[in-house]
Amino acid sequence: MSSPWCGALPNESGPEKARTRSWLSSLGIDRGGIVRIQTFAARNSVAMLHFEDGTALFLKQVDPATARAVGTATGNEEKMLRLIPESDVPHYVRAAVPRFIATDPETETLVMEGKTGFVSMRDVGRKFPEIPVPLLVSLASVTAGLHTSTVERFTTDPGYRPQLIDFPFASFVTLTPSELASGPGMDYSDYAATMQAVDNSVARMREEWTPSRLVHFDLRDDNILVKDADGARPQVALVDWELSGFGDPMLDVGTLAGQFLIQWLHTVRGDAGRLADASTWATVRRNVGLFLTAYEHSAPLSLEQRDLAFRYAGLSVLMYAAGRLEQIGSLGRIGHLCLFVGRTLLNDPRGVAELLAPGILRKAGA
């Protein structure tokens, strides 16, 4: 059966819908009539099929490089989506993860249950700079539930060796002049200098890295979906498990803290002088502090783990700056702020953490 992709996403015309239904039928899927085909901007072809019965399917073509690394046509994401129901993650974590439906190896397409009525955490942050407390609690509960599941039988299984994540950040100390000259963006030398300034901290993190827990590994705001964000019982969904595997859970925690930081830095509008005023940190202090408090309700952390989480938050902020260089060729004011905050978090995590979550640190030091 021919795929509906043919190098491009299906449109909403009658013939395309009929062809898509026929293709789904060849995979053993029959949901009835398709009422809408929603497309998304992504590296590879991605679409959401909405059906008459109110359900949806999410279609995603796999990056060939990740598929080759894992050795399956549909790559790491399929393997992880199959693994999660077999693990002992709590039911509310399973509900937050897209359910695996089918694969089409011929077209390297993964079919998952679609999440309808959700918006991205990025959109939520724009609408609610102070993230609603129930949402922070839900997000923390799902993240902690993922991290506290028992995974020893998977991490010791040779079949899951590709899912043992290596430390993901390289050293910048040995950059050659040609590498420096060919870096993306006109501010690349500033970024490289910052990465070299934090190399000792990153080296310690690399030495301590242990792939011991189930991690999402890419908890950016676009990969966190929310339903009823301002309601009493918001729902959270974590999508895009392409990079997931076994790693250090503090990377996920730090990435989330970094997302709150990045959201807040955009409101500072490039005024580095405002960072010296503790009152400027009120919103991000609230968001990070409440999230960590809720996370620790399920997964208590040592002081060393908190320091590590804040270091990963610093790396997350620095990676955001790197993304600006690759996408627009310049750091801009927000990018330079990210370099300053990221470097400070890596080299003095407890100092900045005192601004971000003072209550938690005082409790830990008691």
Side-chain angles (χ1 to χ4, degrees), residues 264-277 280 333-334 337 340:
W264 165 72
L265 284 171
H266 277 282
T267 69
V268 178
R269 301 186 183 282
D271 185 358
R274 293 178 61 195
L275 298 180
D277 183 356
T280 303
R333 290 183 176 181
I334 181 65
L337 276 180
F340 173 77

Side-chain angles (χ1 to χ4, degrees), residues 144-163:
L146 179 72
H147 293 161
T148 54
S149 61
T150 304
V151 294
E152 283 79 4
R153 67 188 178 96
F154 299 111
T155 56
T156 57
D157 184 339
Y160 287 99
R161 187 167 289 114
Q163 281 68 47

Side-chain angles (χ1 to χ4, degrees), residues 258-316:
Q259 290 295 298
F260 295 138
L261 270 165
I262 292 165
Q263 172 196 335
W264 165 72
L265 284 171
H266 277 282
T267 69
V268 178
R269 301 186 183 282
D271 185 358
R274 293 178 61 195
L275 298 180
D277 183 356
S279 64
T280 303
W281 295 72
T283 297
V284 69
R285 180 190 302 127
R286 172 196 178 276
N287 291 341
V288 172
L290 288 173
F291 170 77
L292 286 176
T293 299
Y295 181 92
E296 290 207 57
H297 182 74
S298 300
L301 302 177
S302 67
L303 189 57
E304 290 74 20
Q305 285 177 307
R306 294 187 191 97
D307 283 351
L308 188 57
F310 282 114
R311 284 194 170 98
Y312 279 121
L315 277 174
S316 177

Side-chain angles (χ1 to χ4, degrees), residues 216-269:
H216 182 280
F217 197 68
D218 194 19
L219 283 180
R220 295 177 295 106
D221 48 12
D222 281 343
N223 290 337
I224 303 169
L225 304 183
V226 180
K227 191 173 187 177
D228 299 326
D230 56 345
R233 302 187 69 178
Q235 298 179 47
V236 170
L238 306 182
V239 299
D240 195 355
W241 291 78
E242 188 173 331
L243 301 178
S244 63
F246 305 106
D248 189 330
M250 292 305 98
L251 186 144
D252 277 351
V253 174
T255 299
L256 283 165
Q259 290 295 298
F260 295 138
L261 270 165
I262 292 165
Q263 172 196 335
W264 165 72
L265 284 171
H266 277 282
T267 69
V268 178
R269 301 186 183 282

Side-chain angles (χ1 to χ4, degrees), residues 1-3 19-29 103-104:
M1 176 62 62
S2 62
S3 157
R19 191 152 61 95
T20 299
R21 285 189 64 183
S22 179
W23 174 71
L24 290 174
S25 180
S26 72
L27 300 178
I29 303 170
T103 59
D104 180 9

